[in-house]
Amino acid sequence: AQKITQTQPGMFVQEKEAVTLDCTYDTSDPSYGLFWYKQPSSGEMIFLIYQGSYDQQNATEGRYSLNFQKARKSANLVISASQLGDSAMYFCAMREGIWQGGKLIFGQGTELSVKP
Amino acid sequence: GAGVSQSPRYKVAKRGQDVALRCDPISGHVSLFWYQQALGQGPEFLTYFQNEAQLDKSGLPSDRFFAERPEGSVSTLKIQRTQQEDSAVYLCASSGGPSDHNEQFFGPGTRLTVL
């Protein structure tokens, strides 16, 4: 079974508008971390935002926020005020357990295109 | 400051050749990971080092894949007798900095094409 599911292969958004990228996850471990990474066409994975399973508040980093709904096992990424430079692949990932050295499990990704 | 670097950036190999991919992690990072990313897919875990110790190699697809990090810094991923299905981008990541959630910092990857 997929541990990380991203159901949107591609998304379009108008410049300056907000967009939500969906991510659901599956784990029986009560301790886990959720990450979002951006991968531009250059190929490098860029860390965007992190949410811990015990965090009470949704994470925010600048224009990025994470809509964390623990009961529904979803961790959607919200990008506000989209910019042309936001066009890239976006990956949701999970690290299981409390050990912070653990491997990441990635979803299939969502390709975001920002239109001028 | 320098990020994670990988070399070569591109490698073309004939089927059956051996290849070696290098990763230079961020200085001082204890943890080092290798991932394989097939075209149009998310990265998949291959192996993990803590300093020089290989603590998890559960993702290595076959015994043709071998990784080492002998001095706890630079790591090499070696693929013997390459096959066409080995064609992918190989990503290296390191972590262990001061962040409390220990995000992994990725290199630019090595794109391997096996003909």
Side-chain angles (χ1 to χ4, degrees):
Chain A
Q2 289 254 21
K3 291 214 169 188
I4 297 286
T5 302
Q6 296 180 252
T7 58
Q8 307 153 312
M11 289 280 286
F12 289 91
V13 65
Q14 204 68 34
E15 193 178 8
K16 300 181 184 177
E17 292 186 349
V19 63
T20 298
L21 306 184
D22 294 342
C23 173
T24 58
Y25 60 92
D26 182 29
T27 181
S28 56
D29 197 317
S31 302
Y32 52 90
L34 297 159
F35 299 77
W36 277 91
Y37 281 85
K38 171 184 178 182
Q39 188 176 43
S41 55
S42 59
E44 190 162 346
M45 301 284 281
I46 302 167
F47 167 72
L48 297 178
I49 195 167
Y50 167 85
Q51 181 84 43
S53 59
Y54 294 117
D55 293 344
Q56 296 296 314
Q57 294 193 337
N58 286 343
T60 60
E61 288 285 350
R63 294 187 298 113
Y64 305 108
S65 60
L66 204 152
N67 184 1
F68 181 47
Q69 299 187 42
K70 194 170 183 178
R72 299 177 64 181
K73 293 188 174 179
S74 74
N76 298 339
L77 176 70
V78 180
I79 305 174
S80 62
S82 296
Q83 302 172 357
L84 295 178
D86 294 336
S87 294
M89 284 292 291
Y90 288 81
F91 290 96
C92 179
M94 177 173 65
R95 181 181 63 212
E96 290 178 306
I98 60 173
W99 182 41
Q100 291 187 316
K103 66 187 179 188
L104 295 177
I105 303 165
F106 286 86
Q108 298 282 75
T110 295
E111 184 171 12
L112 178 66
S113 298
V114 180
K115 294 183 171 181
Chain B
V4 178
S5 62
Q6 293 185 245
S7 61
R9 290 293 312 278
Y10 303 91
K11 177 70 178 177
V12 178
K14 291 183 179 178
R15 190 172 54 157
Q17 281 185 331
D18 298 348
V19 298
L21 313 181
R22 177 187 168 105
C23 172
D24 280 88
I26 293 173
S27 178
H29 275 191
V30 168
S31 299
L32 186 145
F33 301 81
W34 283 98
Y35 294 86
Q36 180 190 59
Q37 187 176 21
L39 189 64
Q41 305 292 316
E44 292 192 356
F45 170 78
L46 293 176
T47 187
Y48 161 68
F49 290 87
Q50 184 172 319
N51 295 307
E52 69 279 2
Q54 189 175 20
L55 299 186
D56 187 349
K57 53 182 180 179
S58 62
L60 295 177
S62 77
D63 58 7
R64 296 186 295 104
F65 287 71
F66 172 77
E68 60 183 4
R69 193 186 185 197
E71 297 178 358
S73 55
V74 170
S75 176
T76 303
L77 176 67
K78 298 179 179 178
I79 309 174
Q80 297 177 324
R81 304 181 303 280
T82 52
Q83 303 294 315
Q84 286 188 321
E85 61 263 28
D86 300 335
S87 295
V89 175
Y90 291 84
L91 295 167
C92 176
S94 70
S95 67
S99 167
D100 61 356
H101 42 263
N102 234 9
E103 68 268 28
Q104 295 180 21
F105 295 87
F106 283 79
T110 295
R111 182 178 296 277
L112 173 65
T113 303
V114 181
L115 303 177

